[in-house]
Amino acid sequence: MSIDTASYITLDEHWGAHNYHPLPVVIAEAEGAWVTDVDGHRYLDFLSGYSALNFGHRHPVLVEAVREQLDRVTLTSRAFHNDQFGQFCRELAELTQTEMVLTMNTGAEAVESAIKVARKWAYEVKGVQFNGAEIIVAAGNFHGRTTTIVSFSDDPGAHDNYGPFTPGFVTVPYGDLAAIEAAITPNTAAVLIEPIQGEAGVIVPPSGYLAGIRRACDENNVLMIADEIQSGLARTGKLFALDHDDVRADLYTLGKALGGGIIPVSAVVGRGDVLGVLKPGQHGSTFGGYPMACAVGRAVVGLLATGEFQARSLELGRYLHGRLDELVGRGIVAVRGRGLWAGVDIDPLSRTGREVSMALRDRGVLCKETHERTLRIAPPLVITQDEIDHAVDALADALQA
Ligand SMILES: *Cc1c(COP(=O)(O)O)cnc(C)c1O
């Protein structure tokens, strides 16, 4: 016997911690760019699990890789070698043109790992005074939810009442190169930056900013850490958002789409001499690099190596942005982004992001506000031009309703 939508929501709200405010839709099945709710209504997914579903729901190549691995071995722990781990690391390093891979599970763990590595590198290689290492971060950042990471979040909801906080972070305005240059001291270990700020509303920094950070880091022996957990892996039309500026980071944090929307897989990839500061026993994770994660990660790398998803995002992204730009002045005040990724600011005289998300749901499109008046649009990269038209038409209608 099936229960109705309202009953599922009541269950969630009674038994689940209230740390989210989901749209009232209860998803039961999904395939490609589409999801189906418990009543059989179909919706176009215009959010992709915040880019965890870049390849769409249940991409057949990824599902097959997981099935095959399920029939072989699922978990070994890193106490032993497994036959997937080394191959995954090599394939991911080759795809990203990096030298070494540190496997983790969630995005926040990848960021935590990068912070630990940068500090260790600062003391052991750069020669920073003991316990004095500083990491420069940007205002409006989103890097995850651990205690250390929320220590340098300026979102009151993410930060307040979680103290005492981890020291050693210096916040500067996003997009302001001079502020980063001024904040660098002999104690600076790293600059940790989102090449495009996703959670903040898909904020694209001024041109020259990322190249300028690279230059400042080179001149001062500081590591550049790019958090590409949301912006990377084809979302912006290239493998990395940094690639649009021909900039290379010393370390990249990857997550979300690396697990193909099936299991959490994250990694820090980058310079061998930097990740090489970690010696046996100094960092780890029970599940990091487990055979299932490596099998799905290898299949994801295989999809990305074709370049097909990057190309789709670039081409269809131009189309999406063209169509969204037509709505500026008609309920929308600004559109930002790159590839199949857009932050849409809703006219403050019109409706809230939540109201527009609800009106879109009623029209068969799922997306979600970030902050009060910004919609974050990030369809799966398997979406077609006709489906983009369907969703943008629904948005135009939702803004007028
Ligand atoms: C989602 C996200 C994270 C955190 O990833 P989790 O898997 O939720 O821990 C970190 N950085 C960025 C840029 C993200 O978008």
Side-chain angles (χ1 to χ4, degrees), residues 20 50 105-109 111 142-145 149 194 196 198-199 227-231 253 255-256 264 266 376:
Y20 279 89
Y50 308 104
N105 309 287
T106 65
E109 277 179 296
V111 173
F142 181 82
H143 296 289
R145 302 290 195 171
I149 292 171
E194 293 163 86
I196 293 178
E199 198 78 9
D227 183 347
E228 294 258 14
I229 290 168
Q230 194 166 155
S231 59
T253 54
K256 294 203 165 95
S266 71
R376 175 171 21 185

Side-chain angles (χ1 to χ4, degrees), residues 282-302:
Q282 296 177 343
H283 186 57
S285 156
T286 304
F287 283 89
Y290 76 118
M292 287 290 287
C294 293
V296 78
R298 292 183 69 195
V300 163
V301 169

